[in-house]
Amino acid sequence: MTALSSAPAYAAPGTVSVAESAPGSPGSPETTFDKDLARLDDLALLGIVRLLPRASERRVAACELLVTRYQGLVWSCVRRYARSPELVEDLVQVGYVGLLKAINNFDPALCSNLTTYAQPCISGELKRHFRDKRWQIHVKRSVQDLMLQARAATGPLAQELGRTPTESDLATYLGVGVADLRQAERAELAFQPSSLDAPLAGQPGLGTLADYLGEEDPRFEHMLTMRAVATHWGELTPREQEILLMCFRGDMTQTEIGRRLRISQMHVSRLRAHALGHLRARLLDLEDAPAPPAPPAPPALAAAGIRGRSR
């Protein structure tokens, strides 16, 4: 990695770095590398890299010189990702890693020049970086590739149509379905998720996004249950309604309820069980289940005319 750390600062095409601006300056190739290496062509330098051991200073110098000569190739590979959320400087460093791999693995028997061999190595390293390091969730490789294709095609297609391309335009241009294109667009949203702890945009000091997100309210489920109970509440007899209110709202025991209504505790238990069974069958849509029969009133109460409404 010495070559990577020693590589000159990246400069966009058409500009010249400080190290290259003045011949003989401390950062220029004439003083950084041996003069005999600076006079060699790329194939000769690649031969030195291939034949000498990795610890050799001459090999390291040859590798650094090759990195300097091909920094423009790194930029050309990085430029297609200029619209990505990743910093360009970070992508350039990843591109240099791919270039170093190409220099170390170059075989003249397989390829005649370094440019042809290094370009797919650099592009592959950049794609690997995006695939393995940038995604916060797992996204299929095919979806990632389609996302990159759609991003690259948007500009040329807009120039061709004279307007911003629609989803149908992009799908037709890329030869894919609209549903697949939408999936790729959703995947791009997951590429750089927002932090819940990040301050709200344009509202400094007013809290984070997490402060404005609701949380689970245990009373919400209770409210829904009570709404469902209210739907069938009128199907109970007044005596059953009164018993359930005393039991669940008044927190009274069956003995206390029986004393209040002047009926036995056993009869309270029967009325309570019948009412709850009826509500349970309605709430769970157990229409086919036979409803429990209304409990008979004790003889003394029946004689007095106190009897639960039959069903």
Side-chain angles (χ1 to χ4, degrees):
M1 298 301 292
T2 305
L4 180 59
S5 60
S6 302
Y10 129 83
T15 63
V16 180
S17 64
V18 175
E20 301 175 74
S21 59
S25 63
S28 63
E30 287 81 2
T31 57
T32 305
F33 311 111
D34 296 338
K35 291 184 179 180
D36 58 334
L37 290 181
R39 289 192 294 264
L40 297 178
D41 59 13
D42 294 345
L43 289 179
L45 293 174
L46 289 168
I48 294 174
V49 172
R50 186 174 67 258
L51 298 176
L52 294 181
R54 289 183 177 271
S56 170
E57 293 184 1
R58 185 174 175 81
R59 182 187 185 278
V60 172
C63 190
E64 290 179 347
L65 182 55
L66 286 169
V67 169
T68 304
R69 291 180 179 179
Y70 284 87
Q71 63 177 351
L73 179 62
V74 172
W75 163 252
S76 67
C77 295
V78 169
R79 185 166 48 191
R80 61 177 299 201
Y81 301 101
R83 292 178 54 195
S84 71
E86 191 82 347
L87 293 175
V88 175
E89 291 79 3
D90 293 342
L91 295 180
V92 169
Q93 294 301 313
V94 175
Y96 278 135
V97 172
L99 176 59
L100 284 171
K101 290 182 178 180
I103 292 173
N104 290 324
N105 299 325
F106 180 80
D107 187 351
L110 300 177
C111 191
S112 60
N113 62 81
L114 182 58
T115 301
T116 305
Y117 183 76
Q119 186 167 7
C121 293
I122 299 171
S123 298
E125 195 67 30
L126 289 167
K127 291 179 180 178
R128 192 176 301 109
H129 171 77
F130 281 104
R131 185 182 72 240
D132 300 337
K133 299 298 194 307
R134 289 292 305 160
W135 292 99
Q136 304 297 321
I137 60 176
H138 175 70
V139 178
K140 294 181 179 179
R141 178 71 176 273
S142 58
V143 178
Q144 296 182 28
D145 293 340
L146 181 56
M147 184 201 72
L148 294 176
Q149 293 172 16
R151 182 189 298 167
T154 300
L157 187 57
Q159 292 182 353
E160 180 180 331
L161 298 176
R163 56 177 173 80
T164 302
T166 63
E167 286 184 342
S168 301
D169 296 333
L170 269 176
T172 303
Y173 183 82
L174 297 174
V176 298
V178 175
D180 295 333
L181 183 61
R182 288 176 180 171
Q183 186 179 15
E185 291 173 347
R186 288 195 297 269
E188 187 170 15
L189 294 177
F191 183 73
Q192 192 179 25
S194 301
S195 173
L196 293 178
D197 296 326
L200 294 176
Q203 303 182 39
L206 296 183
T208 64
L209 179 60
D211 297 332
Y212 289 83
L213 295 180
E215 59 182 11
E216 234 178 276
D217 189 347
R219 296 174 300 177
F220 186 73
E221 188 68 26
H222 176 72
M223 183 270 294
L224 292 178
T225 302
M226 296 310 298
R227 288 290 298 271
V229 169
T231 304
H232 303 284
W233 183 255
E235 300 172 7
L236 303 177
T237 65
R239 174 58 58 86
E240 290 171 343
Q241 294 178 7
E242 190 176 10
I243 289 175
L244 292 184
L245 288 175
M246 290 181 181
C247 179
F248 294 101
R249 179 181 291 181
D251 198 21
M252 299 172 62
T253 65
Q254 294 183 10
T255 301
E256 293 171 338
I257 295 173
R259 189 180 301 116
R260 173 78 62 86
L261 299 178
R262 297 183 179 181
I263 58 177
S264 67
Q265 180 269 332
M266 183 173 292
H267 192 54
V268 171
S269 178
R270 290 172 181 168
L271 289 173
R272 179 181 181 276
H274 179 266
L276 293 178
H278 177 79
L279 292 176
R280 185 179 299 110
R282 293 294 185 266
L283 296 179
L284 300 180
D285 294 327
L286 303 178
E287 299 294 341
D288 298 334
L301 295 178
I306 303 176
R307 179 183 297 275
R309 186 174 59 192
S310 60
R311 300 194 181 280

